[in-house]
Amino acid sequence: MRHHGRMHAQPGVGLRPDAPWGYLPASSFRSRRSALSDAQRQTWERLWPQLGRQADAGETPGETPDTPLDTRAWFGRSAPLVLEIGCGSGTSTLAMAQAEPDIDVIAVEIYRRGLAQLLCAIDAEQVGNIRLIRGNGVDVLKDLIAPRSLTGVRVFFPDPWPKARHHKRRLLQTGTVSLIADRLLPGGVLHAATDHPGYAEHIGAVGDAEPRLVRADPDSESLPISISRPTTKYETKAQEAGSHVCEFVWKRI
């Protein structure tokens, strides 16, 4: 299965200490270069200045790379805010944003082509509640998102880094989950999904170990965001191959 939010770390990059959340996955990544089509390039040039930004560029006037985003100014309204880390080409992002027009969504992705595909879909469907950031999700959380500002965080099919020596590169680790919990509002939701059994066990363990998060039961309690996500073609292929998708939903207490 192609993992929608796959981020590739440079070989040899390990973990770094970063108080107060301990160790976070290394954030030095190689950005895959892939050419955009003419239509994608034209849409990018037209819409990116308004709807997108580079995580480490401080592009918005008055902002530096370590200044939290002014999301009210960016979206032009005050609304519950969801951060999706690793949106890929944005199939789930677009569908879930369309289903919840009263919620603002920031989609984070390393790869320009995936963001360009999402930008074209936003343009075609005239969806107004999505903004895009190109960069590493950990850096976005740490530098651009204020504490207790997110209603939800979504992480769908992150790279499982299946080899044991690469487990330190996995996105959802103790430090990252602690950082996510810090950025969530009380009652805010962390929604994760993976089709990799070993990573599922790991995600469940680190999520349950975070003292500010408790498992949520969507069937018996009301949540501030929907956890109903579309099944993408990549997930369908995985299911046809016998892979089982594990869903995790935690709520900040």
Side-chain angles (χ1 to χ4, degrees):
M1 177 174 182
R2 189 183 77 89
H3 293 270
H4 310 286
R6 181 163 291 179
M7 300 177 182
H8 295 276
Q10 293 181 0
V13 177
L15 302 182
R16 70 174 190 270
D18 200 328
W21 19 80
Y23 289 91
L24 295 171
S27 60
S28 180
F29 294 87
R30 288 177 178 168
S31 179
R32 179 188 301 158
R33 294 184 179 274
S34 56
L36 305 185
S37 68
D38 288 343
Q40 289 172 341
R41 179 177 50 79
Q42 291 169 10
T43 301
W44 183 281
E45 292 174 353
R46 178 166 51 89
L47 294 181
W48 183 259
Q50 174 191 354
L51 301 183
R53 61 163 292 155
Q54 189 77 22
D56 56 358
E59 293 177 345
T60 304
E63 288 182 349
T64 59
D66 58 354
T67 299
L69 290 168
D70 183 349
T71 56
R72 291 186 181 184
W74 201 12
F75 284 91
R77 66 176 185 176
S78 178
L81 184 64
V82 169
L83 185 75
E84 182 180 354
I85 301 175
C87 67
S89 60
T91 302
S92 297
T93 312
L94 186 74
M96 297 178 84
Q98 287 177 307
E100 295 182 301
D102 294 332
I103 289 177
D104 290 337
V105 178
I106 296 177
V108 181
E109 178 56 61
I110 292 281
Y111 304 121
R112 185 171 180 236
R113 188 168 186 178
L115 290 170
Q117 288 176 297
L118 176 55
L119 203 58
C120 289
I122 290 170
D123 188 37
E125 299 289 334
Q126 290 295 290
V127 178
N129 59 328
I130 302 175
R131 300 293 183 269
L132 297 79
I133 298 179
R134 188 182 184 196
N136 172 3
V138 171
D139 291 340
V140 171
L141 280 165
K142 186 168 64 69
D143 298 332
L144 298 178
I145 303 298
R148 296 193 174 208
S149 63
L150 297 176
T151 300
V153 173
R154 290 169 174 152
V155 185
F156 300 149
F157 304 100
D159 194 323
W161 292 103
K163 294 181 180 180
R165 68 178 182 273
H166 294 154
H167 285 181
K168 62 187 178 182
R169 298 177 179 173
R170 288 173 169 175
L171 173 66
L172 290 175
Q173 304 205 49
T174 300
T176 314
V177 172
S178 176
L179 181 56
I180 289 171
D182 182 79
R183 281 8 185 191
L184 285 172
L185 288 159
V189 169
L190 168 57
H191 180 194
T194 181
D195 67 326
H196 188 276
Y199 200 9
E201 184 177 354
H202 173 84
I203 292 171
V206 296
D208 289 340
E210 169 53 50
R212 290 167 291 182
L213 298 178
V214 294
R215 293 266 189 154
D217 183 358
D219 295 327
S220 63
E221 60 183 301
S222 177
L223 297 175
I225 62 171
S226 172
I227 62 162
S228 176
R229 57 178 185 81
T231 301
T232 66
K233 61 181 179 181
Y234 304 104
E235 186 176 344
T236 299
K237 288 181 181 179
Q239 291 173 340
E240 291 173 350
S243 296
H244 173 68
V245 175
C246 294
E247 302 266 356
F248 299 92
V249 182
W250 286 279
K251 182 171 65 175
R252 170 157 179 178
I253 57 175

